[in-house]
Amino acid sequence: VAPYEELDPLVSRLNEQHKELVQRMNAIQDAADMRRDFTANVTHELKTPIASIQGAAELIRDGIARPEDVKNFAGRIYRDAHRLSLLVSDILTLSRLDESERSGDREVFGVAERVDLLSVAGDAVERLRVRARQKYDVTISLSGVSTLLMGNARLLDELVSNLIENAIRYNKPGGKVFVWVLPQGGRPCLRVSDTGIGIPEEAQGKVFERFYRVDKGRSRDMGGTGLGLAIVKHAATYHGADIRLDSRVGEGTTITVTFPKQ
Ligand code: ADP
């Protein structure tokens, strides 16, 4: 039997262990809740375009759609099928990123290779520039220096493209997007800044969550899946990078991703 004076530390150690156990159980419960919410959200997000495709196809098949409306319905089918394909591809990317975090496997997306962040950003800007100008009247400019890091080119492309797409999507007509690639204190750094609508302060902590949207209508109309920033966050984690978000409603948003020293 422990002498009386040894009981105090024993009791406090037990208390600490109890606290730790409760914390762990809460974390497990939170993870289970998140998985359930995610499944419910995925089901809903998939069902909506499927129902719309079925409805339009039925009207055409049964000859109910007037000939002049057939083209509109075909357009709807095409748009919703495209939306489904974006959703499925984002869900797959996220589940592979989850898998990598769960198993600690750093090669889920292949062996790390030397990647130039500037050329990844350059390719993304080239690909998105014309659409940004013609469809949204938004100009993109890129500046920086060649910055090498060890990582996965496809995942880094997803990260950069999602940030630039958001900077276009949530901009104002005539707005601007600035992309910088620079080493900061020896750490590779990517910054995407826009002159867009901004993110309200109370939403800033939530935008990296799956399917969280400040404005559901705008996100969907512009082709957003609601998974872009969740992919950005996990792709950053995959590369050991930190993310910083600065935003002011009506003025714009800046997201900075800082990679570890190479
Ligand atoms: P979505 O597919 O809806 O764009 P994201 O995960 O990429 O999904 O972003 C989540 C939400 O964060 C968006 O719906 C939007 O409300 C907000 N958001 C993201 N980027 C920006 C930005 N650059 N400016 C303003 N709001 C943004």
Side-chain angles (χ1 to χ4, degrees), residues 21 41 44 83 90 104 112 127 132 139 157-158 175 192 222 255:
L21 207 66
N41 276 323
H44 173 75
R83 175 169 185 70
D90 278 0
R127 207 172 51 238
T139 331
D157 170 61
E158 289 251 5
V192 178
M222 303 261 182
I255 295 186

Side-chain angles (χ1 to χ4, degrees), residues 82-115:
H82 180 62
R83 175 169 185 70
L84 276 176
S85 109
L86 290 180
L87 259 168
V88 169
S89 135
D90 278 0
I91 291 166
L92 280 178
T93 304
L94 262 179
S95 84
R96 287 173 76 192
L97 283 163
D98 280 346
E99 174 53 27
S100 146
E101 277 170 40
R102 226 188 337 263
S103 65
D105 181 354
R106 309 285 305 119
E107 293 185 0
V108 168
F109 289 86
V111 185
E113 52 193 328
R114 198 174 292 277
V115 184

Side-chain angles (χ1 to χ4, degrees), residues 35-81:
R35 246 196 305 278
R36 212 184 30 242
D37 285 356
F38 181 62
T39 310
N41 276 323
V42 164
T43 310
H44 173 75
E45 297 284 338
L46 291 176
K47 271 186 170 169
T48 312
I50 289 174
S52 160
I53 290 172
Q54 271 177 332
E58 213 170 358
L59 291 175
I60 295 173
R61 183 197 65 191
D62 297 345
I64 296 169
R66 289 175 306 178
E68 63 268 32
D69 289 334
V70 166
K71 205 167 169 208
N72 271 343
F73 284 123
R76 193 165 100 190
I77 292 173
Y78 178 82
R79 252 193 329 274
D80 285 322

